[in-house]
Amino acid sequence: MKDNYDEDNINLELEQEVLDYLVRYGHNSKDVKEALDRVKHAQALRKEFSANVTHELKSPLTSINGYAEMIENGMTSYEQSKEFAKIIHEQGNRLLSMIDETIKLSKFDNNYVKTERFSLFNLNDMIEQNIESLQKFAQGKNVKIEYMPNDTHFYGNDKLMDDLIRNMISNGIKYSKEEGGVLKIVLEESLDQIVLRFIDQGIGIAEENQERIFERFYVVNKSRDRKTGTGLGLSLVKNIAIMHKGKVQVKSKLNEGSEFIITFPKLMENDYR
Ligand code: ADP
């Protein structure tokens, strides 16, 4: 027994033990090593994520406490108090989204998202409902949403697909230009694929950031995006697409707009067994 608790050493010993055991029973040592490396990599990502969550949750809370304290001490005029209360409200909402999205992402990390909750539902209705519920937000940002209804049935987790669609539409609105523009949503179905496209005329994403936007907590413009966003939305979208065996692509030009293409193979119940 060790005197000092050394997690890395314990992991190394355990890894060697598992490797020896599996090789003894005829498994290819290269395959086993690769599988162990994948587990280790996932573990490292989880650790990094937990550390980031703690750090990221502090920023809205610090801001909430700071403004609340000023109001409490009578340091603010009526107008300022109203303005600060608005910031407190926004940061409170951001904190709630962060907690909510973190819980969802950790379910993916721990493989809690099961395909048993899959069912057949109408993707078209889901898109229309989300457009309706985000219409006020869109109008406030001068964004016109265009969508041509297309009755399409989809086999998957309806709650998660609803999250995916809401995230994609709200990003298309949130990252619009000052003067607004059009957000076009396209739902296409072919023999073997279902494709969702979200095409906006927003601020666009520079080439060097296009891959990074799918990382957890990554935001392009820290001072602006951190006011409302969490940097977790697209990471969640990517996880949801992958669990439905789909993929997300982005095409974008800075100051011109972005197109997000989410492609799903057409699957039925038996494909998940
Ligand atoms: P957030 O909650 O901050 O919106 P996301 O993970 O959804 O987090 O997005 C990560 C970053 O990608 C955003 O901070 C933003 O900079 C950029 N982004 C996402 N969608 C778009 C878009 N449609 N147009 C321009 N930038 C976008």
Side-chain angles (χ1 to χ4, degrees), residues 7-24:
E7 202 180 331
D8 286 339
N9 272 340
I10 293 175
N11 279 343
L12 269 180
E13 282 168 20
L14 194 67
E15 184 184 326
Q16 196 55 49
E17 223 173 276
V18 174
L19 194 63
D20 291 345
Y21 176 84
L22 290 167
V23 171
R24 209 177 315 136

Side-chain angles (χ1 to χ4, degrees), residues 94 97 101 167-176 183 198-200 202-206 209 212-222 224-226 228-237 250 252 257-260:
R94 194 172 142 232
S97 311
E101 285 167 0
N167 261 303
M168 292 312 301
I169 301 178
S170 49
N171 275 356
I173 302 170
K174 209 161 39 169
Y175 301 109
S176 58
L183 166 65
F198 300 85
I199 309 151
D200 66 52
I203 56 172
I205 306 153
N209 292 320
R212 300 210 64 192
I213 53 172
F214 296 98
E215 289 173 19
R216 295 174 185 194
F217 293 118
Y218 188 81
V219 298
V220 173
N221 180 335
K222 280 201 175 160
R224 184 204 58 210
D225 301 350
R226 287 226 182 279
T228 51
T230 60
L232 294 173
L234 282 177
S235 171
L236 203 56
V237 163
V250 57
S252 185
S258 314
E259 175 173 3
F260 287 84

